[in-house]
Amino acid sequence: MVYFCGKKAFLSNNLKNLLCHSEKDLEKIVIKYGESSFRGRQIYNFIYNSNFSLKNIDEINVLPLKLRNRLSEDGFFIGDLAIKTTHLSDDGTLKLLLRTKDNHYIESVGIPSEKRLTACVSSQVGCPMDCKFCATGKEGLRRSLSSSEIIHQVLLLQNAMQRKVTNIVFMGMGEPLLNIDQLIKSIRSFNEDFKISQRKITVSTVAIPKKIPQLMRYSFERLGKCQYTLAISLHASNQEIREMIIPSAKTYNIFGLVNDCKQFVRETGRRISFEYILLNGINDKPIHADQLSKLLKGFQCHVNLIEYNQIKEMPFRKSTELSTKLFMNKLIQNGTNASFRRSRGSDQNAACGQLRQNVENI
């Protein structure tokens, strides 16, 4: 299936998802039906600015019934995902298992705090990167998601949690840099349609050769700016350990990756975040902290230490409290900016990728 957002969408049954359109696109659609352009703005406001109700064309009661019927009859719809199951963790984190129209499953997560609701969204069905500590990559990649499928995840989370999403992180299933076109379209929508500042959007990537410069170039060309946070799933202080836990790292030397990150900082002015899951006895020793500080010395970055969300069938275990504290202190002593993040929503075997595995293994 080819995904494309633009005026040609009016002509194709596969491209009649109204989430795929800007406000101007929606105005053009209703004009083709002989309506005034403000009807397009009404549709736009209903999708993005109304209360947190489930949305379909029949519910847009400000539109004439005749127009609603014609849009429905001609195949237009709002969103193409359906909720299969929900999982509410003890800490208030909500995980949604969503079914696509072609019967694949993806996961989305809402992470609440007092002032924020962060949506963790997926960019692909599965993942091809095969990181050894991650449940998502065990079954490989099925396909990439369209921008409308990415956007719909946020609308469903808002509806389920009855709160507006304030922050977006591309940290769900998939490798965003292998789906750059749809990633960029999604960022545009989150920024312009949801009114979420790019500075509140994070793109997390294992990193693919040549893709960081491409992402930066496309952002300036298509969005006019590149102000979101780039988070690199590093998880190792040297090439040997990184190749062991992230097989794809064999094609992307850790020093070349850091050099691309330095270029990103120079050209965007945005600080890079390095994600580092602490794995007991593998990458959590003081010598690893020293290596990491040396590797990242000399440019604007931050290390986000992450508690490992343990998975029964995986051989890895999370670091002890003592090892975590010693590692953190060593980084700070070395002058490396760092913080520690505990896992959210990890109870009842619901780590990222496991809800999907559970339903597909039934």
Side-chain angles (χ1 to χ4, degrees), residues 245-284:
I245 60 178
I246 305 174
S248 64
K250 294 176 182 177
T251 64
Y252 202 3
N253 184 274
I254 198 168
F255 297 107
L257 167 57
V258 170
N259 284 336
D260 282 346
C261 290
K262 289 179 179 179
Q263 180 189 0
F264 184 91
V265 172
R266 285 195 302 269
E267 297 192 21
T268 68
R270 296 289 290 161
R271 183 180 73 173
I272 292 275
S273 175
F274 288 96
E275 308 290 312
Y276 197 102
I277 293 177
L278 290 164
L279 302 172
N280 187 39
I282 294 176
N283 65 356
D284 64 343

Side-chain angles (χ1 to χ4, degrees), residues 132-278:
K132 296 307 178 183
F133 52 82
C134 178
T136 299
K138 287 185 66 179
E139 298 179 33
L141 175 69
R142 304 290 177 84
R143 67 170 175 83
S144 292
L145 297 177
S146 67
S147 58
S148 60
E149 288 173 315
I150 296 171
I151 293 164
H152 199 193
Q153 295 174 59
V154 175
L155 288 174
L156 289 171
L157 282 169
Q158 288 188 156
N159 172 68
M161 304 186 78
Q162 292 292 289
R163 289 180 60 180
K164 179 176 173 55
V165 166
T166 60
N167 296 69
I168 305 286
V169 292
F170 286 86
M171 293 183 180
M173 298 169 63
E175 169 49 61
L177 298 199
L178 292 177
N179 195 18
I180 285 185
D181 286 334
Q182 304 306 314
L183 171 67
I184 293 292
K185 290 173 182 176
S186 303
I187 291 174
R188 182 216 63 79
S189 179
F190 292 141
N191 189 201
E192 297 178 11
D193 303 327
F194 289 79
K195 310 304 180 188
I196 297 174
S197 167
Q198 273 199 28
R199 294 178 181 273
K200 295 184 178 181
I201 298 173
T202 297
V203 177
S204 178
T205 174
V206 172
I208 313 293
K210 300 181 181 180
K211 289 294 185 179
I212 293 175
Q214 181 186 8
L215 175 67
M216 183 169 51
R217 184 174 71 253
Y218 281 15
S219 296
F220 283 120
E221 290 174 356
R222 302 179 187 183
L223 303 176
K225 56 186 176 182
C226 185
Q227 296 180 340
Y228 48 80
T229 297
L230 183 63
I232 306 297
S233 294
L234 191 64
H235 308 313
S237 59
N238 60 57
Q239 182 68 15
E240 182 181 5
I241 294 176
R242 195 158 197 265
E243 287 185 16
M244 179 181 69
I245 60 178
I246 305 174
S248 64
K250 294 176 182 177
T251 64
Y252 202 3
N253 184 274
I254 198 168
F255 297 107
L257 167 57
V258 170
N259 284 336
D260 282 346
C261 290
K262 289 179 179 179
Q263 180 189 0
F264 184 91
V265 172
R266 285 195 302 269
E267 297 192 21
T268 68
R270 296 289 290 161
R271 183 180 73 173
I272 292 275
S273 175
F274 288 96
E275 308 290 312
Y276 197 102
I277 293 177
L278 290 164

Side-chain angles (χ1 to χ4, degrees), residues 1 41 66 107 132 146 155 169 235 295 357:
M1 182 180 292
R41 294 192 293 274
K66 181 180 178 181
E107 297 176 19
K132 296 307 178 183
S146 67
L155 288 174
V169 292
H235 308 313
L295 177 69
Q357 280 187 11

